[in-house]
Amino acid sequence: MEEKEYNRLVDRLKECSEAYYLRDDPIISDGEYDRLYFNLIELERLNPSLIRPDSPTQNVGSGVNKTKFSKVQHADTMLSLENSFSQQEVESFFSRAAGMINVSAESMEIVAEPKMDGLSVSLLYEKGKLKTASTRGNGQEGENITTNAKVIPSIPHELKLADKTIEVRGEVVIKKNDFLNLNKSRIDKGEPVFSNPRNAAAGSIRQLDCRVTASRPLVFFAYCTISDRPFIATQWEALSWLKEQGFTVASASRLCPNVDDAIRYYQHINGVRSRIEYDIDGVVLKINRLDWQKRLGASSKTPRHSVAYKFSSELAATKLLDIKIQVGRTGILTPVGILQPVNIGGVIVSRATLHNKDEIDRKDIRIGDIVLVKRAGEVIPKVEEVMIERRGLDSVPFEFPVTCPSCSAEIAKQSDEVAVRCSAGLTCPAQSIERLKHFISRKAFDIVGLGERVIEELFNASIIKTPVDIFTLKQKVVDGKVNLSDRYGWGRQSADNLLAAIDKSRRISLDRFIFSLGIRHVGEYVSRTIARTYVRYENWRTCMEKSIDLFSSTGKIDAINDMEGIGAIVAHELKTFFLSKHNLSLLKELENFITVTDCEIKTADSSLSGKTIVFTGTLTLTGRKEAKESALSLGAKVSGSVSPNTDFLVAGKNPGSKLKQARSLGVKILDEKAWMEIQNLT
Ligand code: IVH
């Protein structure tokens, strides 16, 4: 029965998706498609054996049959650059170069350009038309991203020069401001945020659906040309030619009369770095004359005519001793580099994240390599890149595991994610430990004395396997089943302290409780939004349970779908959580030992209390998120769509269709000023 249902659903979705993507002629609404799609995801999650390779979940986006990018051989290897960290290193790089071609170092013009931190892309134009766009890949072979490149406005489809074959290389980036706005809108939609502009750019360009790429604020900065019939004599001319052809070129670039001037330029850029609108991690210094560049050529990895002069304050080089795989709360396998301890800006760093398998492959990181490690503020240190030029014979490529290192279950990769996950879920010990750590963490139950190490110890001793075990620890001690103080090296006092701390944590507010459950994509903000909507734990749980009707007629969790700031992804995760019998019985059991207190709402005297508010357009006086928070804290409900139940529509700049809807329904409309006033009145 289920199989039949499943096949019907896959066929229907394929039919709809072909109509949409191939014929541009949708046969159902987007909402209806999403509903069917989520039903499919759930059905597949519950019955993984049914999954068909042609299911739309295995196969996102426009090229209905496209699952990955084809490969492109680069005619000219896409090299990397040698890194320098000091004036002296730069000077000796260029005096070596000058020596090699027998010219005077003093008279060597240098083009200095910002080193953009994005993704390098090669564009091949034949007879003036953009033929192929590809990523760098391993330098020899990249991925064909032509369709996506064509939707980036700063990439011209045609050049004015029609008779030559020319390759243009450059960096695809997302500007800092655009990045912040992109993440803001992802939070609003309940989608996970990108960790930095580089990742956002890389993720956006490698989309199978070019409409997604088109919706992201990508900019291509051109920085060099390669042609088999060179018609340009210098790098500086190449940059102005690129501008003439309609490319965007980093305006901060400069033609320096000599190396000393180039070093001064580096110092200047280092000083104004934070004011540059995109992330840069150094300056690239290039010998201006292309005939000299040609004579110098390249070693196997890096050219001898250009060098990256990196900003160094937060960077340090050290040896990568090993790579360990960490299994996270939701099963994501993260490779972590074990480093020879190194001092970076006053902090000793001995571990750094390597993010994921793709990152290891892309940067060709091998155990034994000398790597550059970056530590910035509170962010986890990361391996920036390998110093290829210092690679020894003892470096060994890393074999990424094919099974979970904790439970040996198979690992799986979703087509739209770079991360790989352990497929075992609840039965994987590493995931269980991470979930417990999250459960007791500061923003959740906040149990003082029950730190991460203690959780690991008690989990391994089979004393705490589930959250319920934490709250029954006392009884177990009394029953004599477990005696912390005798058996596990715990003094009586520390055991008593722990039990007292656990007791203290038994009362928890609804928002913290929701957060503690560790549901994917349900972080602090989303938990608070949910708590403010439902106020009481019982309300929330019953409403969730009632809504879990796999093939319900609307396919929605009504209240959730209507909550501003909670998108389809969060709704889907909540649904998945409440579909699990294990989770339901965990909640039931927990209820015996804890008290979830109502979400506090300032209802007193608030004229907004109980009112339903919808926001539209850009709010300029406060951000959208702050406005929502404020409305919620004054006891209002915030909804994502206008209905006859809406009390106010707050309309900012450039309001969308919601304004029209509100007008037609006679809903009261407030401009931003009136909205500020109404809050002050309360
Ligand atoms: S020239 C031989 N110019 O840096 C490579 N590269 O570390 C010639 N990059 O893969 C590259 N800004 O992605 C050049 N103005 C710039 C650059 C730049 C950023 C990147 C590029 C390259 C990487 C090398």
PDB file of all heavy atoms in Angstrom, residues 78-83 113-121 136 169-171 223-224 235 281 284 286 301-303 305-306 308 310 385, ligand 1:
ATOM      1  N   MET A  78      44.641  25.913 -13.394  1.00  0.00           N
ATOM      2  CA  MET A  78      44.350  27.047 -12.510  1.00  0.00           C
ATOM      3  C   MET A  78      45.229  26.888 -11.274  1.00  0.00           C
ATOM      4  O   MET A  78      44.945  26.066 -10.398  1.00  0.00           O
ATOM      5  CB  MET A  78      42.870  27.095 -12.155  1.00  0.00           C
ATOM      6  CG  MET A  78      42.003  27.520 -13.325  1.00  0.00           C
ATOM      7  SD  MET A  78      40.259  27.655 -12.910  1.00  0.00           S
ATOM      8  CE  MET A  78      40.160  29.283 -12.162  1.00  0.00           C
ATOM      9  N   LEU A  79      46.295  27.637 -11.237  1.00  0.00           N
ATOM     10  CA  LEU A  79      47.295  27.489 -10.167  1.00  0.00           C
ATOM     11  C   LEU A  79      46.837  28.196  -8.894  1.00  0.00           C
ATOM     12  O   LEU A  79      45.877  28.955  -8.915  1.00  0.00           O
ATOM     13  CB  LEU A  79      48.615  28.103 -10.623  1.00  0.00           C
ATOM     14  CG  LEU A  79      49.253  27.474 -11.862  1.00  0.00           C
ATOM     15  CD1 LEU A  79      50.363  28.348 -12.387  1.00  0.00           C
ATOM     16  CD2 LEU A  79      49.777  26.075 -11.534  1.00  0.00           C
ATOM     17  N   SER A  80      47.562  27.931  -7.787  1.00  0.00           N
ATOM     18  CA  SER A  80      47.321  28.798  -6.629  1.00  0.00           C
ATOM     19  C   SER A  80      48.508  29.746  -6.501  1.00  0.00           C
ATOM     20  O   SER A  80      49.398  29.738  -7.356  1.00  0.00           O
ATOM     21  CB  SER A  80      47.092  28.002  -5.351  1.00  0.00           C
ATOM     22  OG  SER A  80      47.885  26.887  -5.314  1.00  0.00           O
ATOM     23  N   LEU A  81      48.498  30.554  -5.467  1.00  0.00           N
ATOM     24  CA  LEU A  81      49.560  31.556  -5.334  1.00  0.00           C
ATOM     25  C   LEU A  81      50.437  31.225  -4.142  1.00  0.00           C
ATOM     26  O   LEU A  81      49.948  30.703  -3.131  1.00  0.00           O
ATOM     27  CB  LEU A  81      48.941  32.935  -5.108  1.00  0.00           C
ATOM     28  CG  LEU A  81      48.232  33.590  -6.283  1.00  0.00           C
ATOM     29  CD1 LEU A  81      47.410  34.778  -5.801  1.00  0.00           C
ATOM     30  CD2 LEU A  81      49.243  34.045  -7.329  1.00  0.00           C
ATOM     31  N   GLU A  82      51.694  31.544  -4.248  1.00  0.00           N
ATOM     32  CA  GLU A  82      52.567  31.402  -3.090  1.00  0.00           C
ATOM     33  C   GLU A  82      52.199  32.490  -2.084  1.00  0.00           C
ATOM     34  O   GLU A  82      51.871  33.603  -2.472  1.00  0.00           O
ATOM     35  CB  GLU A  82      54.022  31.564  -3.564  1.00  0.00           C
ATOM     36  CG  GLU A  82      55.015  31.147  -2.526  1.00  0.00           C
ATOM     37  CD  GLU A  82      56.449  31.181  -3.090  1.00  0.00           C
ATOM     38  OE1 GLU A  82      56.670  30.714  -4.227  1.00  0.00           O
ATOM     39  OE2 GLU A  82      57.317  31.673  -2.363  1.00  0.00           O
ATOM     40  N   ASN A  83      52.243  32.138  -0.804  1.00  0.00           N
ATOM     41  CA  ASN A  83      51.887  33.121   0.223  1.00  0.00           C
ATOM     42  C   ASN A  83      53.121  33.746   0.846  1.00  0.00           C
ATOM     43  O   ASN A  83      54.099  33.054   1.101  1.00  0.00           O
ATOM     44  CB  ASN A  83      51.109  32.435   1.351  1.00  0.00           C
ATOM     45  CG  ASN A  83      49.727  32.056   0.898  1.00  0.00           C
ATOM     46  OD1 ASN A  83      49.039  32.864   0.291  1.00  0.00           O
ATOM     47  ND2 ASN A  83      49.321  30.831   1.180  1.00  0.00           N
ATOM     48  N   GLU A 113      46.577  44.061  -6.356  1.00  0.00           N
ATOM     49  CA  GLU A 113      45.113  43.902  -6.378  1.00  0.00           C
ATOM     50  C   GLU A 113      44.659  43.311  -5.059  1.00  0.00           C
ATOM     51  O   GLU A 113      45.385  42.514  -4.454  1.00  0.00           O
ATOM     52  CB  GLU A 113      44.701  42.917  -7.497  1.00  0.00           C
ATOM     53  CG  GLU A 113      45.111  43.356  -8.870  1.00  0.00           C
ATOM     54  CD  GLU A 113      44.935  42.233  -9.905  1.00  0.00           C
ATOM     55  OE1 GLU A 113      44.235  41.234  -9.627  1.00  0.00           O
ATOM     56  OE2 GLU A 113      45.544  42.352 -10.976  1.00  0.00           O
ATOM     57  N   PRO A 114      43.470  43.650  -4.616  1.00  0.00           N
ATOM     58  CA  PRO A 114      42.970  43.008  -3.402  1.00  0.00           C
ATOM     59  C   PRO A 114      42.821  41.508  -3.646  1.00  0.00           C
ATOM     60  O   PRO A 114      42.437  41.097  -4.744  1.00  0.00           O
ATOM     61  CB  PRO A 114      41.596  43.637  -3.176  1.00  0.00           C
ATOM     62  CG  PRO A 114      41.417  44.658  -4.224  1.00  0.00           C
ATOM     63  CD  PRO A 114      42.518  44.568  -5.213  1.00  0.00           C
ATOM     64  N   LYS A 115      43.156  40.707  -2.661  1.00  0.00           N
ATOM     65  CA  LYS A 115      42.965  39.260  -2.824  1.00  0.00           C
ATOM     66  C   LYS A 115      41.598  38.919  -2.254  1.00  0.00           C
ATOM     67  O   LYS A 115      41.399  38.870  -1.041  1.00  0.00           O
ATOM     68  CB  LYS A 115      44.064  38.490  -2.096  1.00  0.00           C
ATOM     69  CG  LYS A 115      43.974  36.985  -2.340  1.00  0.00           C
ATOM     70  CD  LYS A 115      45.214  36.282  -1.851  1.00  0.00           C
ATOM     71  CE  LYS A 115      45.252  34.826  -2.259  1.00  0.00           C
ATOM     72  NZ  LYS A 115      44.100  34.041  -1.888  1.00  0.00           N
ATOM     73  N   MET A 116      40.672  38.733  -3.160  1.00  0.00           N
ATOM     74  CA  MET A 116      39.292  38.502  -2.736  1.00  0.00           C
ATOM     75  C   MET A 116      39.101  37.096  -2.207  1.00  0.00           C
ATOM     76  O   MET A 116      39.656  36.146  -2.751  1.00  0.00           O
ATOM     77  CB  MET A 116      38.353  38.733  -3.911  1.00  0.00           C
ATOM     78  CG  MET A 116      38.178  40.196  -4.176  1.00  0.00           C
ATOM     79  SD  MET A 116      37.758  40.512  -5.864  1.00  0.00           S
ATOM     80  CE  MET A 116      39.247  40.170  -6.692  1.00  0.00           C
ATOM     81  N   ASP A 117      38.286  37.010  -1.144  1.00  0.00           N
ATOM     82  CA  ASP A 117      38.074  35.705  -0.531  1.00  0.00           C
ATOM     83  C   ASP A 117      36.752  35.142  -1.041  1.00  0.00           C
ATOM     84  O   ASP A 117      35.717  35.286  -0.419  1.00  0.00           O
ATOM     85  CB  ASP A 117      38.051  35.869   0.996  1.00  0.00           C
ATOM     86  CG  ASP A 117      38.195  34.543   1.695  1.00  0.00           C
ATOM     87  OD1 ASP A 117      38.526  33.555   1.019  1.00  0.00           O
ATOM     88  OD2 ASP A 117      37.965  34.494   2.913  1.00  0.00           O
ATOM     89  N   GLY A 118      36.816  34.561  -2.206  1.00  0.00           N
ATOM     90  CA  GLY A 118      35.594  33.991  -2.783  1.00  0.00           C
ATOM     91  C   GLY A 118      35.920  32.674  -3.438  1.00  0.00           C
ATOM     92  O   GLY A 118      36.635  31.856  -2.856  1.00  0.00           O
ATOM     93  N   LEU A 119      35.429  32.521  -4.645  1.00  0.00           N
ATOM     94  CA  LEU A 119      35.559  31.250  -5.333  1.00  0.00           C
ATOM     95  C   LEU A 119      36.087  31.537  -6.732  1.00  0.00           C
ATOM     96  O   LEU A 119      35.507  32.360  -7.451  1.00  0.00           O
ATOM     97  CB  LEU A 119      34.141  30.710  -5.452  1.00  0.00           C
ATOM     98  CG  LEU A 119      33.981  29.292  -5.872  1.00  0.00           C
ATOM     99  CD1 LEU A 119      34.126  28.444  -4.620  1.00  0.00           C
ATOM    100  CD2 LEU A 119      32.585  29.108  -6.444  1.00  0.00           C
ATOM    101  N   SER A 120      37.230  30.910  -7.133  1.00  0.00           N
ATOM    102  CA  SER A 120      37.732  31.298  -8.446  1.00  0.00           C
ATOM    103  C   SER A 120      36.981  30.566  -9.552  1.00  0.00           C
ATOM    104  O   SER A 120      36.639  29.389  -9.433  1.00  0.00           O
ATOM    105  CB  SER A 120      39.240  31.101  -8.560  1.00  0.00           C
ATOM    106  OG  SER A 120      39.591  29.841  -8.103  1.00  0.00           O
ATOM    107  N   VAL A 121      36.721  31.322 -10.595  1.00  0.00           N
ATOM    108  CA  VAL A 121      35.898  30.817 -11.701  1.00  0.00           C
ATOM    109  C   VAL A 121      36.579  31.192 -13.010  1.00  0.00           C
ATOM    110  O   VAL A 121      37.168  32.258 -13.131  1.00  0.00           O
ATOM    111  CB  VAL A 121      34.476  31.434 -11.614  1.00  0.00           C
ATOM    112  CG1 VAL A 121      33.730  31.302 -12.926  1.00  0.00           C
ATOM    113  CG2 VAL A 121      33.683  30.777 -10.486  1.00  0.00           C
ATOM    114  N   ARG A 136      37.289  26.138 -10.119  1.00  0.00           N
ATOM    115  CA  ARG A 136      38.700  25.762 -10.168  1.00  0.00           C
ATOM    116  C   ARG A 136      38.876  24.254 -10.002  1.00  0.00           C
ATOM    117  O   ARG A 136      39.724  23.648 -10.646  1.00  0.00           O
ATOM    118  CB  ARG A 136      39.449  26.504  -9.066  1.00  0.00           C
ATOM    119  CG  ARG A 136      40.888  26.108  -8.969  1.00  0.00           C
ATOM    120  CD  ARG A 136      41.638  26.983  -7.974  1.00  0.00           C
ATOM    121  NE  ARG A 136      43.031  26.634  -7.935  1.00  0.00           N
ATOM    122  CZ  ARG A 136      43.520  25.677  -7.171  1.00  0.00           C
ATOM    123  NH1 ARG A 136      42.727  24.989  -6.368  1.00  0.00           N
ATOM    124  NH2 ARG A 136      44.811  25.400  -7.188  1.00  0.00           N
ATOM    125  N   ARG A 169      39.531  34.952 -16.028  1.00  0.00           N
ATOM    126  CA  ARG A 169      39.443  34.343 -14.697  1.00  0.00           C
ATOM    127  C   ARG A 169      39.142  35.408 -13.666  1.00  0.00           C
ATOM    128  O   ARG A 169      39.531  36.569 -13.826  1.00  0.00           O
ATOM    129  CB  ARG A 169      40.746  33.632 -14.350  1.00  0.00           C
ATOM    130  CG  ARG A 169      40.911  32.375 -15.188  1.00  0.00           C
ATOM    131  CD  ARG A 169      42.147  31.604 -14.815  1.00  0.00           C
ATOM    132  NE  ARG A 169      42.249  30.419 -15.656  1.00  0.00           N
ATOM    133  CZ  ARG A 169      43.292  29.607 -15.660  1.00  0.00           C
ATOM    134  NH1 ARG A 169      44.323  29.836 -14.860  1.00  0.00           N
ATOM    135  NH2 ARG A 169      43.298  28.543 -16.439  1.00  0.00           N
ATOM    136  N   GLY A 170      38.475  34.997 -12.644  1.00  0.00           N
ATOM    137  CA  GLY A 170      38.140  35.959 -11.598  1.00  0.00           C
ATOM    138  C   GLY A 170      37.543  35.258 -10.396  1.00  0.00           C
ATOM    139  O   GLY A 170      37.548  34.024 -10.316  1.00  0.00           O
ATOM    140  N   GLU A 171      37.049  36.065  -9.491  1.00  0.00           N
ATOM    141  CA  GLU A 171      36.566  35.541  -8.217  1.00  0.00           C
ATOM    142  C   GLU A 171      35.086  35.875  -8.074  1.00  0.00           C
ATOM    143  O   GLU A 171      34.686  37.021  -8.311  1.00  0.00           O
ATOM    144  CB  GLU A 171      37.381  36.236  -7.114  1.00  0.00           C
ATOM    145  CG  GLU A 171      37.394  35.544  -5.794  1.00  0.00           C
ATOM    146  CD  GLU A 171      38.444  34.422  -5.704  1.00  0.00           C
ATOM    147  OE1 GLU A 171      39.062  34.054  -6.734  1.00  0.00           O
ATOM    148  OE2 GLU A 171      38.609  33.912  -4.589  1.00  0.00           O
ATOM    149  N   TYR A 223      39.973  39.183 -12.808  1.00  0.00           N
ATOM    150  CA  TYR A 223      41.330  39.624 -12.484  1.00  0.00           C
ATOM    151  C   TYR A 223      42.397  39.215 -13.494  1.00  0.00           C
ATOM    152  O   TYR A 223      43.531  39.630 -13.374  1.00  0.00           O
ATOM    153  CB  TYR A 223      41.745  39.244 -11.068  1.00  0.00           C
ATOM    154  CG  TYR A 223      41.629  37.782 -10.686  1.00  0.00           C
ATOM    155  CD1 TYR A 223      42.364  36.801 -11.332  1.00  0.00           C
ATOM    156  CD2 TYR A 223      40.798  37.402  -9.648  1.00  0.00           C
ATOM    157  CE1 TYR A 223      42.262  35.480 -10.965  1.00  0.00           C
ATOM    158  CE2 TYR A 223      40.688  36.077  -9.269  1.00  0.00           C
ATOM    159  CZ  TYR A 223      41.429  35.121  -9.930  1.00  0.00           C
ATOM    160  OH  TYR A 223      41.324  33.811  -9.570  1.00  0.00           O
ATOM    161  N   CYS A 224      42.071  38.355 -14.453  1.00  0.00           N
ATOM    162  CA  CYS A 224      43.079  38.155 -15.497  1.00  0.00           C
ATOM    163  C   CYS A 224      42.492  37.554 -16.766  1.00  0.00           C
ATOM    164  O   CYS A 224      41.361  37.055 -16.774  1.00  0.00           O
ATOM    165  CB  CYS A 224      44.274  37.357 -14.996  1.00  0.00           C
ATOM    166  SG  CYS A 224      44.054  35.615 -14.886  1.00  0.00           S
ATOM    167  N   GLN A 235      49.469  43.487 -17.366  1.00  0.00           N
ATOM    168  CA  GLN A 235      48.349  43.155 -16.489  1.00  0.00           C
ATOM    169  C   GLN A 235      47.446  44.375 -16.312  1.00  0.00           C
ATOM    170  O   GLN A 235      46.241  44.268 -16.281  1.00  0.00           O
ATOM    171  CB  GLN A 235      48.890  42.660 -15.133  1.00  0.00           C
ATOM    172  CG  GLN A 235      47.860  42.493 -14.033  1.00  0.00           C
ATOM    173  CD  GLN A 235      46.837  41.401 -14.314  1.00  0.00           C
ATOM    174  OE1 GLN A 235      46.964  40.607 -15.252  1.00  0.00           O
ATOM    175  NE2 GLN A 235      45.776  41.360 -13.509  1.00  0.00           N
ATOM    176  N   ASP A 281      41.641  38.727   1.965  1.00  0.00           N
ATOM    177  CA  ASP A 281      42.546  38.133   2.941  1.00  0.00           C
ATOM    178  C   ASP A 281      43.999  38.463   2.631  1.00  0.00           C
ATOM    179  O   ASP A 281      44.908  37.836   3.140  1.00  0.00           O
ATOM    180  CB  ASP A 281      42.314  36.619   3.069  1.00  0.00           C
ATOM    181  CG  ASP A 281      42.389  35.899   1.734  1.00  0.00           C
ATOM    182  OD1 ASP A 281      42.569  36.561   0.707  1.00  0.00           O
ATOM    183  OD2 ASP A 281      42.277  34.659   1.718  1.00  0.00           O
ATOM    184  N   VAL A 284      47.266  40.679  -3.838  1.00  0.00           N
ATOM    185  CA  VAL A 284      48.031  39.901  -4.810  1.00  0.00           C
ATOM    186  C   VAL A 284      48.946  40.868  -5.553  1.00  0.00           C
ATOM    187  O   VAL A 284      48.485  41.902  -6.046  1.00  0.00           O
ATOM    188  CB  VAL A 284      47.113  39.175  -5.820  1.00  0.00           C
ATOM    189  CG1 VAL A 284      47.940  38.293  -6.759  1.00  0.00           C
ATOM    190  CG2 VAL A 284      46.075  38.329  -5.096  1.00  0.00           C
ATOM    191  N   LYS A 286      51.489  41.352  -8.686  1.00  0.00           N
ATOM    192  CA  LYS A 286      51.771  40.698  -9.968  1.00  0.00           C
ATOM    193  C   LYS A 286      52.756  41.544 -10.768  1.00  0.00           C
ATOM    194  O   LYS A 286      52.573  42.768 -10.861  1.00  0.00           O
ATOM    195  CB  LYS A 286      50.478  40.565 -10.796  1.00  0.00           C
ATOM    196  CG  LYS A 286      49.349  39.863 -10.050  1.00  0.00           C
ATOM    197  CD  LYS A 286      48.054  39.863 -10.857  1.00  0.00           C
ATOM    198  CE  LYS A 286      46.975  39.104 -10.104  1.00  0.00           C
ATOM    199  NZ  LYS A 286      45.688  39.089 -10.782  1.00  0.00           N
ATOM    200  N   LYS A 301      52.940  24.174  -8.844  1.00  0.00           N
ATOM    201  CA  LYS A 301      51.753  24.634  -8.120  1.00  0.00           C
ATOM    202  C   LYS A 301      51.479  26.127  -8.232  1.00  0.00           C
ATOM    203  O   LYS A 301      50.344  26.564  -8.155  1.00  0.00           O
ATOM    204  CB  LYS A 301      51.905  24.325  -6.613  1.00  0.00           C
ATOM    205  CG  LYS A 301      52.028  22.855  -6.273  1.00  0.00           C
ATOM    206  CD  LYS A 301      50.645  22.237  -6.144  1.00  0.00           C
ATOM    207  CE  LYS A 301      50.693  20.839  -5.589  1.00  0.00           C
ATOM    208  NZ  LYS A 301      50.992  19.827  -6.605  1.00  0.00           N
ATOM    209  N   THR A 302      52.565  26.918  -8.322  1.00  0.00           N
ATOM    210  CA  THR A 302      52.366  28.364  -8.237  1.00  0.00           C
ATOM    211  C   THR A 302      53.190  29.103  -9.296  1.00  0.00           C
ATOM    212  O   THR A 302      54.279  28.656  -9.659  1.00  0.00           O
ATOM    213  CB  THR A 302      52.800  28.880  -6.840  1.00  0.00           C
ATOM    214  OG1 THR A 302      54.157  28.483  -6.621  1.00  0.00           O
ATOM    215  CG2 THR A 302      51.942  28.332  -5.723  1.00  0.00           C
ATOM    216  N   PRO A 303      52.661  30.245  -9.752  1.00  0.00           N
ATOM    217  CA  PRO A 303      53.426  31.018 -10.737  1.00  0.00           C
ATOM    218  C   PRO A 303      54.629  31.700 -10.075  1.00  0.00           C
ATOM    219  O   PRO A 303      54.622  31.921  -8.870  1.00  0.00           O
ATOM    220  CB  PRO A 303      52.415  32.057 -11.224  1.00  0.00           C
ATOM    221  CG  PRO A 303      51.423  32.186 -10.126  1.00  0.00           C
ATOM    222  CD  PRO A 303      51.389  30.875  -9.413  1.00  0.00           C
ATOM    223  N   HIS A 305      55.584  34.697 -11.027  1.00  0.00           N
ATOM    224  CA  HIS A 305      55.484  36.137 -11.284  1.00  0.00           C
ATOM    225  C   HIS A 305      54.520  36.861 -10.355  1.00  0.00           C
ATOM    226  O   HIS A 305      54.430  38.074 -10.360  1.00  0.00           O
ATOM    227  CB  HIS A 305      55.037  36.372 -12.738  1.00  0.00           C
ATOM    228  CG  HIS A 305      53.837  35.546 -13.132  1.00  0.00           C
ATOM    229  ND1 HIS A 305      52.576  35.815 -12.681  1.00  0.00           N
ATOM    230  CD2 HIS A 305      53.742  34.428 -13.920  1.00  0.00           C
ATOM    231  CE1 HIS A 305      51.746  34.907 -13.203  1.00  0.00           C
ATOM    232  NE2 HIS A 305      52.418  34.056 -13.949  1.00  0.00           N
ATOM    233  N   SER A 306      53.742  36.097  -9.589  1.00  0.00           N
ATOM    234  CA  SER A 306      52.748  36.734  -8.725  1.00  0.00           C
ATOM    235  C   SER A 306      52.798  36.081  -7.357  1.00  0.00           C
ATOM    236  O   SER A 306      53.073  34.880  -7.248  1.00  0.00           O
ATOM    237  CB  SER A 306      51.340  36.552  -9.296  1.00  0.00           C
ATOM    238  OG  SER A 306      51.261  37.099 -10.589  1.00  0.00           O
ATOM    239  N   ALA A 308      50.920  36.154  -3.231  1.00  0.00           N
ATOM    240  CA  ALA A 308      49.891  36.689  -2.332  1.00  0.00           C
ATOM    241  C   ALA A 308      50.583  37.192  -1.077  1.00  0.00           C
ATOM    242  O   ALA A 308      51.340  36.460  -0.453  1.00  0.00           O
ATOM    243  CB  ALA A 308      48.887  35.596  -1.980  1.00  0.00           C
ATOM    244  N   LYS A 310      49.747  38.092   2.397  1.00  0.00           N
ATOM    245  CA  LYS A 310      48.552  37.880   3.221  1.00  0.00           C
ATOM    246  C   LYS A 310      48.542  38.748   4.472  1.00  0.00           C
ATOM    247  O   LYS A 310      49.600  39.051   5.021  1.00  0.00           O
ATOM    248  CB  LYS A 310      48.510  36.413   3.678  1.00  0.00           C
ATOM    249  CG  LYS A 310      48.298  35.424   2.555  1.00  0.00           C
ATOM    250  CD  LYS A 310      46.846  35.185   2.359  1.00  0.00           C
ATOM    251  CE  LYS A 310      46.491  33.813   2.260  1.00  0.00           C
ATOM    252  NZ  LYS A 310      45.519  33.031   2.266  1.00  0.00           N
ATOM    253  N   GLU A 385      44.390  27.097   4.583  1.00  0.00           N
ATOM    254  CA  GLU A 385      44.930  26.466   3.384  1.00  0.00           C
ATOM    255  C   GLU A 385      46.228  25.735   3.678  1.00  0.00           C
ATOM    256  O   GLU A 385      46.802  25.877   4.763  1.00  0.00           O
ATOM    257  CB  GLU A 385      45.142  27.497   2.281  1.00  0.00           C
ATOM    258  CG  GLU A 385      46.167  28.542   2.600  1.00  0.00           C
ATOM    259  CD  GLU A 385      46.200  29.586   1.488  1.00  0.00           C
ATOM    260  OE1 GLU A 385      45.282  30.436   1.430  1.00  0.00           O
ATOM    261  OE2 GLU A 385      47.126  29.521   0.687  1.00  0.00           O
TER     262      GLU A 385
HETATM  263  S1  IVH B   1      45.571  35.854  -9.662  1.00  0.00           S
HETATM  264  C1  IVH B   1      47.947  31.727 -10.223  1.00  0.00           C
HETATM  265  N1  IVH B   1      44.292  37.756  -8.497  1.00  0.00           N
HETATM  266  O1  IVH B   1      43.526  33.567  -4.870  1.00  0.00           O
HETATM  267  C2  IVH B   1      46.696  32.192  -9.690  1.00  0.00           C
HETATM  268  N2  IVH B   1      43.972  35.569  -7.686  1.00  0.00           N
HETATM  269  O2  IVH B   1      45.466  31.746  -3.624  1.00  0.00           O
HETATM  270  C3  IVH B   1      46.424  33.515 -10.242  1.00  0.00           C
HETATM  271  N3  IVH B   1      42.377  35.419  -5.835  1.00  0.00           N
HETATM  272  O3  IVH B   1      42.877  30.780  -6.864  1.00  0.00           O
HETATM  273  C4  IVH B   1      45.393  34.148  -9.497  1.00  0.00           C
HETATM  274  N4  IVH B   1      41.905  37.552  -5.737  1.00  0.00           N
HETATM  275  O4  IVH B   1      40.973  32.422  -6.509  1.00  0.00           O
HETATM  276  C5  IVH B   1      44.536  36.456  -8.518  1.00  0.00           C
HETATM  277  N5  IVH B   1      43.233  39.584  -7.591  1.00  0.00           N
HETATM  278  C6  IVH B   1      43.441  38.276  -7.606  1.00  0.00           C
HETATM  279  C7  IVH B   1      42.810  37.394  -6.710  1.00  0.00           C
HETATM  280  C8  IVH B   1      43.108  36.036  -6.783  1.00  0.00           C
HETATM  281  C9  IVH B   1      41.654  36.365  -5.218  1.00  0.00           C
HETATM  282  C10 IVH B   1      42.340  33.979  -5.493  1.00  0.00           C
HETATM  283  C11 IVH B   1      42.194  33.081  -6.688  1.00  0.00           C
HETATM  284  C12 IVH B   1      43.298  32.085  -6.588  1.00  0.00           C
HETATM  285  C13 IVH B   1      43.693  32.212  -5.153  1.00  0.00           C
HETATM  286  C14 IVH B   1      45.127  31.790  -4.976  1.00  0.00           C
END
